[in-house]
Amino acid sequence: TGNPILDFETAPNVFELPILAVDTTGDSNMQILTVYLTDVDEPPVFLDNLNNQDLLIYIPEGTPPGPLYEPDVVDPEGKPLTFSLKPENPAFSINPGNGFIASKQTFDYETGNKSYTFSMLVTDGTHTVVKTVIVYIVNTNDAKPQFKIKNTFFTVPEELPPGQVVANITAEDPDSFNYVGYLLYSLSPTQYFAINKYSGVITVAMRMDRDAQPLRDSPLITVLVTARYSPPGVHTNSITLTFNVTDINDNPPDCNPAAQRQEVPETEVKGALIATVTCTDIDVDPANNQFKFTNLSCLRCNQMFAWSTKELGNIVLTGSLDIEDPNNFYVGNEYSISVVAEDLGNPQMKGTAYIYVTTTPVNEYPPVFHPSLYVFNVSEIEGPSATVGVVNATDEDFPSIGITYSIAAGGSTLGLSNIFWIDPNKGIIKLLVRPDYEVKQRYDLLIEAVDGDPIKPLTSTATVIINIIEVNDEPPVCQPNGTTLIIPSDLRLGTNIRDFILTCTDLDSPPSSFRYAMKGVSNVNNHFVFSPTSGTNITRLILKEPFDYSGGLDKTWNYKLTVLIFDDNLLVGARQPKGLVGTGTIIINIQVVNPSLTTVSTTTPPSITYITKKENVYSSTAWYVPFIIALGSMILLGLLGYLLYQLGKYLSTKDCSCCVPRVNKYKESL
């Protein structure tokens, strides 16, 4: 046998082979050889590629279960064949009758086996043929990108700078064996974080403040990271990440208000609350928001203030704020306190608060007069606005708030509510009207001093005695103050004319101070004189010189006598008030008539005239007083001697017969 191989089922069963024999001489002989092919029981034969190789089956992942392969196998003897798999595989099945191989599941290249190997057995009952079947799962682009990260919860501190890396999110393509391209990353929302779309690195996009809203109440930030293919495909995958923003000690204690001003009365007692310092630390973590007060400093306060031992943040008074104290006056009664609040976190952070304390004055002391009793003298001739005296009160309170003076009582007379006025600011007492010694000689004033406190003023009083000094300021007043007298031209010398008596009074002069005179131009030829001329307040009008109309000496028949009454009689021994000289004036009309011609009745119309006043410079202690007295005495003695001489001479030559009284037939009673 040779080629081809004899096959009973496919080749002829009988072969006739002619055999030719030839010898060396060239003789030949041919004989027919008949070969009979007998049938042998052979194993099943595969007619397809499995005849000489293993069965390779390729299944794309994701293919639904179903037929995979139908073998082309026969038994040379035509026996029925039986198919089976060895070992049995739950993912595959085979039809025992026809050998159809089918899948029983959907395969996933990324999660399942990449290949399966098993044997397919074909038997005709006698012979068994074994063929190797290899099933390859073909990778297709059907899987989502897979994230390699296992932990999706991250803890990040607040206040990280933008660009700080906080996570690295990596995804891979399960189909990368056959996929050509790359993955792109995106993140939402993008308020706090950003992601590199090529590498998946997540960084801080903006500053995160754990102590401010909304992170103060909700410190968890949730973001969605999505991976997709590029060029874009239908498959994407997302993962949710949670970031927990933790608190750090980044805020110092904050004192509100950072600066406060307190006004404290100077009478405040030790231990009194001066100010309360309120500080807060907005850090969320209790380990970072606890604090304590450490330093309390006050320049030049001399340990005036201290922390309270009873309650945190309270500053109490430990010294005296008395404004009048020189030590406090040196610092201006204003104090600047600084305090420090230091938290207990790491690092330690500090906050500072300032308290400005101003001492307010309290009206502690009433005004005090120095002295409490004043005595002033004022002349009764002083006019309105004249200064009587000055009172002065002081107030120990500092700063000075001023003192106001007023007259609380006294100083009224004759219907006037007050004849004195006091300057409310300077305490100068002045006259409102002219005082009158003859009305009231002394005034007792009660002066009140009130300090300038508008809420609770304090007062004090002082007594002021004002003595009115008497001055000769009242003119004499005489009655009658004017009259008309008719006298005969032959009236006898020394006669009291018509029994005229002048009676004078003066409110500030004694009766002995009066002096009487007549103006020379009115008393022509000096016919009239008052007797006495001084030293009394009652005097009579006397005819001093006779009338001589027949001889031509007198030509005036109507006399208008201007009588001057002075109250400056220097011969008065009694005390007299100093000051002005009062002068009273009356007019006396005298009509001289010839008794042989007429009889006239007269009436006395009242009238009075006052003439100017002049200052009386008389002083009982002046040098000229004894000189004038001596000179006046000598003149009077000389005049008296001369009068006595003339009287003796007159009496020695006088004819007494002329002295017999004659009856005047014209004389009538007025």
Side-chain angles (χ1 to χ4, degrees):
T1 61
N3 189 18
I5 297 175
L6 298 178
D7 185 0
F8 181 82
E9 287 75 24
T10 61
N13 296 327
V14 178
F15 294 93
E16 291 181 355
L17 301 175
I19 300 174
L20 177 62
V22 179
D23 61 14
T24 59
T25 62
D27 292 331
S28 65
N29 187 21
M30 179 178 292
Q31 188 178 357
I32 297 301
L33 177 63
T34 301
V35 179
Y36 292 94
L37 185 62
T38 59
D39 188 17
V40 178
D41 189 8
E42 297 176 302
V45 177
F46 285 90
L47 302 179
D48 53 15
N49 292 336
L50 287 183
N51 187 40
N52 54 12
Q53 66 181 22
D54 295 334
L55 176 59
L56 301 179
I57 300 175
Y58 294 91
I59 304 175
E61 63 175 330
T63 301
L68 298 178
Y69 173 72
E70 181 182 1
D72 186 8
V73 59
V74 296
D75 185 78
E77 289 75 32
K79 295 179 181 180
L81 299 177
T82 301
F83 298 87
S84 63
L85 297 178
K86 188 179 181 180
E88 292 184 358
N89 193 310
F92 301 95
S93 65
I94 190 169
N95 190 318
N98 57 20
F100 274 25
I101 297 176
S103 62
K104 298 172 63 177
Q105 67 182 34
T106 300
F107 298 96
D108 187 354
Y109 180 86
E110 289 75 28
T111 60
N113 295 331
K114 305 297 187 290
S115 64
Y116 299 87
T117 302
F118 51 87
S119 298
M120 182 178 65
L121 284 68
V122 182
T123 181
D124 58 2
T126 302
H127 301 283
T128 300
V129 178
V130 178
K131 291 294 183 179
T132 299
V133 179
I134 301 174
V135 179
Y136 291 101
I137 306 301
V138 179
N139 187 18
T140 63
N141 189 18
D142 65 338
K144 299 178 180 179
Q146 298 297 316
F147 290 97
K148 298 172 63 176
I149 188 171
K150 301 300 181 183
N151 180 26
T152 60
F153 187 86
F154 300 89
T155 298
V156 295
E158 63 172 331
E159 304 295 345
L160 290 178
Q164 177 72 40
V165 176
V166 293
N168 188 2
I169 306 302
T170 303
E172 63 181 9
D173 183 8
D175 305 317
S176 60
F177 179 77
N178 293 324
Y179 180 71
V180 178
Y182 53 87
L183 293 174
L184 296 178
Y185 300 92
S186 62
L187 177 146
S188 65
T190 59
Q191 180 180 5
Y192 294 106
F193 299 101
I195 190 169
N196 187 303
K197 66 178 181 178
Y198 300 110
S199 65
V201 174
I202 298 177
T203 58
V204 175
M206 67 173 292
R207 171 180 172 268
M208 294 174 290
D209 189 356
R210 176 67 173 83
D211 310 310
Q213 297 295 353
L215 296 180
R216 185 176 184 87
D217 294 335
S218 300
L220 299 180
I221 301 174
T222 301
V223 297
L224 184 67
V225 177
T226 301
R228 62 179 177 84
Y229 294 114
S230 178
V234 296
H235 301 296
T236 62
N237 196 9
S238 299
I239 186 172
T240 299
L241 305 180
T242 301
F243 292 90
N244 180 28
V245 182
T246 59
D247 182 47
I248 65 173
N249 189 26
D250 61 332
N251 292 293
D254 178 44
C255 300
N256 187 22
Q260 55 179 300
R261 184 172 295 277
Q262 300 291 338
E263 293 186 352
V264 183
E266 62 173 319
T267 55
E268 193 63 87
V269 297
K270 293 182 179 180
L273 177 64
I274 298 300
T276 298
V277 180
T278 303
C279 301
T280 56
D281 192 330
I282 63 173
D283 286 317
V284 175
D285 192 342
N288 297 328
N289 61 22
Q290 302 298 314
F291 63 90
K292 62 181 179 180
F293 290 105
T294 55
N295 296 331
L296 187 152
S297 61
C298 181
L299 182 63
R300 298 184 299 181
C301 286
N302 195 22
Q303 298 181 347
M304 193 78 72
F305 308 96
W307 288 114
S308 172
T309 58
K310 298 180 180 180
E311 189 170 352
L312 183 68
N314 284 351
I315 299 176
V316 296
L317 180 66
T318 57
S320 172
L321 295 176
D322 187 8
I323 292 181
E324 290 76 30
D325 188 336
N327 295 326
N328 296 337
F329 179 78
Y330 173 72
V331 298
N333 295 293
E334 292 188 352
Y335 308 91
S336 298
I337 305 172
S338 63
V339 297
V340 175
E342 184 178 273
D343 64 22
L344 306 180
N346 187 22
Q348 287 185 332
M349 306 191 75
K350 300 178 181 180
T352 304
Y354 299 92
I355 302 94
Y356 302 99
V357 179
T358 300
T359 305
T360 57
V362 176
N363 192 16
E364 302 176 83
Y365 306 102
V368 177
F369 282 95
H370 304 284
S372 60
L373 175 64
Y374 293 84
V375 178
F376 300 122
N377 297 322
V378 61
S379 172
E380 66 172 330
I381 64 172
E382 294 290 348
S385 300
T387 299
V388 176
V390 180
V391 296
N392 181 55
T394 58
D395 192 339
E396 294 184 14
D397 286 311
F398 184 85
S400 176
I401 53 178
I403 297 176
T404 302
Y405 301 92
S406 63
I407 299 175
S412 61
T413 183
L414 291 180
L416 295 175
S417 60
N418 208 321
I419 69 170
F420 301 100
W421 172 81
I422 187 169
D423 188 313
N425 299 318
K426 299 179 180 179
I428 301 175
I429 301 175
K430 294 186 177 183
L431 290 171
L432 288 177
V433 296
R434 180 177 173 181
D436 193 345
Y437 176 85
E438 289 71 32
V439 175
K440 191 171 183 178
Q441 293 78 41
R442 168 175 164 169
Y443 294 89
D444 293 336
L445 305 184
L446 185 65
I447 304 299
E448 183 180 59
V450 182
D451 60 27
D453 191 331
I455 300 175
K456 188 180 179 181
L458 299 178
T459 64
S460 64
T461 58
T463 300
V464 176
I465 298 175
I466 300 177
N467 296 314
I468 306 301
I469 304 303
E470 185 181 13
V471 177
N472 187 21
D473 62 335
E474 297 289 343
V477 177
C478 300
Q479 294 293 335
N481 58 7
T483 186
T484 299
L485 303 175
I486 299 176
I487 61 174
S489 59
D490 58 354
L491 186 64
R492 190 177 60 179
L493 295 179
T495 302
N496 182 190
I497 299 174
R498 292 293 184 182
D499 296 325
F500 180 84
I501 298 176
L502 184 64
T503 303
C504 298
T505 59
D506 192 331
L507 295 177
D508 55 12
S509 299
S512 58
S513 64
F514 293 106
R515 181 171 59 86
Y516 308 94
M518 296 183 191
K519 280 189 175 182
V521 294
S522 64
N523 189 11
V524 180
N525 294 328
N526 295 320
H527 289 291
F528 308 99
V529 69
F530 278 98
S531 179
T533 59
S534 63
T536 180
N537 65 324
I538 300 175
T539 186
R540 292 172 173 79
L541 182 61
I542 303 297
L543 182 63
K544 176 184 177 183
E545 296 292 339
F547 298 105
D548 185 5
Y549 292 101
S550 59
L553 180 62
D554 290 313
K555 297 180 180 181
T556 302
W557 294 88
N558 294 310
Y559 293 86
K560 186 176 182 179
L561 301 180
T562 300
V563 182
L564 302 179
I565 304 96
F566 303 98
D567 57 3
D568 62 347
N569 183 18
L570 298 180
L571 299 179
V572 177
R575 182 193 66 82
Q576 283 186 279
K578 302 176 182 180
L580 300 176
V581 175
T583 302
T585 303
I586 65 172
I587 303 298
I588 301 176
N589 296 300
I590 298 178
Q591 182 179 359
V592 182
V593 297
N594 190 340
S596 61
L597 299 178
T598 181
T599 300
V600 180
S601 298
T602 63
T603 60
T604 305
S607 64
I608 185 169
T609 302
Y610 292 94
I611 302 180
T612 59
K613 303 174 182 179
K614 60 183 178 179
E615 183 179 2
N616 183 4
V617 296
Y618 167 76
S619 175
S620 60
T621 60
W623 63 270
Y624 55 83
V625 172
F627 173 79
I628 293 176
I629 293 175
L631 180 61
S633 299
M634 293 175 63
I635 293 175
L636 289 176
L637 289 175
L639 180 60
L640 180 59
Y642 175 76
L643 291 177
L644 291 175
Y645 170 76
Q646 291 293 332
L647 179 61
K649 184 179 178 181
Y650 175 79
L651 293 176
S652 63
T653 59
K654 181 73 174 173
D655 184 6
C656 296
S657 60
C658 64
C659 297
V660 178
R662 293 180 300 175
V663 178
N664 189 352
K665 63 181 179 179
Y666 298 101
K667 186 175 181 180
E668 295 180 1
S669 299
L670 296 177

